[in-house]
């Protein structure tokens, strides 16, 4: 889904600040980047919200899944509401923040990224 120009501008500004040249949403409203430390970052415009997700390598075993799900518990949240999951086929943990279109600002995107990066680092999925 094509995102409004102002949402794409926010994603472009985020990318420029992160040193990602030509980082913007494509015609389907998505953008992705992979970092050297193993983190994969994805932005997706859903038509009503902007989702920011990070995935990192993770074992698919009960202790890791329990630890991952603990990040989604409201009592452990600091900053934006993070949702978590695991992709067993790819062996990756997912940390995601969704913000309503009206909440999407560069400071909100930066806060979401910071929270996702911190969670991924604490989880132990970054090289």
């Amino acid at each position: 889904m094509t995102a409004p120009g102002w949402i794409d501008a926010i994603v472009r500004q985020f990318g420029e600040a992160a040193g990602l040249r030509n980082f913007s949403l494509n015609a389907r409203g998505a953008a992705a980047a992979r970092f050297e430390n193993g983190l994969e970052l994805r932005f997706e415009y859903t038509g009503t919200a902007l989702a920011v997700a990070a995935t990192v390598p993770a074992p698919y075993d009960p202790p890791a899944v329990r630890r991952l799900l603990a990040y989604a518990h409201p009592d452990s949240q600091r900053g934006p509401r993070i949702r978590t999951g695991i992709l067993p086929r790819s062996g990756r943990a997912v940390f995601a923040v969704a913000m309503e279109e009206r909440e999407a600002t560069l400071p909100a995107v930066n806060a979401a990224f910071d929270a996702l990066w911190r969670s991924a680092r604490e989880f132990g999925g970054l090289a």
Side-chain angles (χ1 to χ4, degrees):
M1 170 163 300
T2 303
W6 64 272
I7 294 240
D8 189 40
I10 290 168
V11 174
R12 274 195 321 273
Q13 290 170 354
F14 170 84
E16 289 170 8
L20 303 170
R21 286 189 299 184
N22 303 320
F23 190 74
S24 65
L25 299 173
N26 63 20
R28 294 185 348 199
R34 180 176 294 169
F35 294 88
E36 291 178 1
N37 63 2
L39 184 124
E40 293 179 3
L41 180 66
R42 181 172 178 85
F43 287 81
E44 187 171 350
Y45 177 69
T46 67
T48 60
L50 180 64
V52 184
T55 67
V56 294
Y60 184 54
D61 58 34
V65 172
R66 275 193 296 278
R67 215 164 36 97
L68 178 63
L69 294 176
Y71 283 93
H73 193 278
D75 290 343
S76 68
Q77 298 286 320
R78 297 176 296 193
R81 171 100 162 86
I82 298 174
R83 292 167 175 85
T84 62
I86 195 146
L87 306 170
R89 284 191 177 154
S90 65
R92 297 187 71 81
V94 179
F95 301 88
V97 172
M99 60 191 81
E100 293 297 320
E101 191 175 277
R102 69 182 178 280
E103 298 169 349
T105 63
L106 185 56
V109 167
N110 287 334
F113 177 76
D114 290 345
L116 296 173
W117 188 278
R118 182 178 58 248
S119 295
R121 189 182 66 240
E122 289 173 0
F123 180 72
L126 297 182

